[in-house]
Amino acid sequence: MPKRNRLSWRRVFVAFSLLIGCWLVSWLGARWLIVRAPLDHADAIVVLSGSSTLSERMQHAARLYAEKRAPKIMLTTDNRQGGWSTAEQRNPYFHEIAINELNQLGVPRENIEVVRPSVNSTWQEGMVLSNCAKTHNLRSILIVTSSYHSRRALFTFRTFFADGDTQVGIDPVETGVQTPTPATWWLHKRGWQFVPVEYLKLIYYLCRSL
């Protein structure tokens, strides 16, 4: 084989290897963010707020409720409003939209509770829910959130619940609903909003907990 051809094939091989290497790193990086700590039964399913993935979280929480994993569902709220509702002639809050969706999925309204006060971050959710667990005497909670948020959420809640007797589990939504899969997240705008940003937030939370 001529020397020029050998060099061309070598460059193709190096480029292909780099491409595979980058894909593998991106896949492993996304997979690492996803953690599970399932509970067979909990006192409450806690769905964390997040308007961009609200539908997938409600569907997953409703399935867990139907499986009798907990007798009630608790929702945190960021007190933000959604789009205009012609039926209600107003902009309903996302927690109201969540309640309606859960109800349509078979969860009775009396078994849905909104946790107050409103929150602006996962850190505040951990703080509010740790106080709520003491008030309601919750011995165990099962957190529902989106996949790439699960590691930071579990770390945050276990930090706040470390000195208590409440057991914390987490059952995140599978990717592929409103969240891109680990193999292809970098092909989607939403993937870039989730995966790299989540690493920055996780680093910040780790430093904050020190």
Side-chain angles (χ1 to χ4, degrees), residues 84-197:
W84 178 259
S85 170
T86 304
E88 299 185 33
Q89 289 296 296
R90 67 185 180 93
N91 295 82
Y93 290 95
F94 281 112
H95 68 263
E96 294 176 320
I97 297 172
I99 291 172
N100 288 333
E101 185 162 344
L102 286 171
N103 189 233
Q104 291 172 9
L105 292 168
V107 184
R109 289 181 182 271
E110 60 267 23
N111 292 342
I112 304 171
E113 179 182 343
V114 178
V115 181
R116 302 287 185 179
S118 59
V119 295
N120 293 315
S121 67
T122 307
W123 193 265
Q124 288 185 358
E125 286 177 311
M127 185 185 304
V128 167
L129 280 161
S130 64
N131 293 329
C132 180
K134 295 174 184 176
T135 303
H136 290 71
N137 195 30
L138 299 177
R139 310 299 295 179
S140 57
I141 60 171
L142 182 59
I143 301 167
V144 169
T145 188
S146 297
S147 291
Y148 300 128
H149 182 226
S150 58
R151 184 172 290 275
R152 179 163 58 96
L154 184 61
F155 166 77
T156 302
F157 276 78
R158 286 188 170 171
T159 297
F160 278 100
F161 284 83
D163 297 330
D165 297 324
T166 303
Q167 186 179 5
V168 177
I170 190 165
D171 196 325
V173 184
E174 293 287 347
T175 58
V177 184
Q178 290 183 295
T179 306
T181 64
T184 62
W185 68 264
W186 48 277
L187 295 174
H188 304 269
K189 179 181 179 181
R190 179 166 284 190
W192 288 96
Q193 294 171 343
F194 286 148
V195 178
V197 172

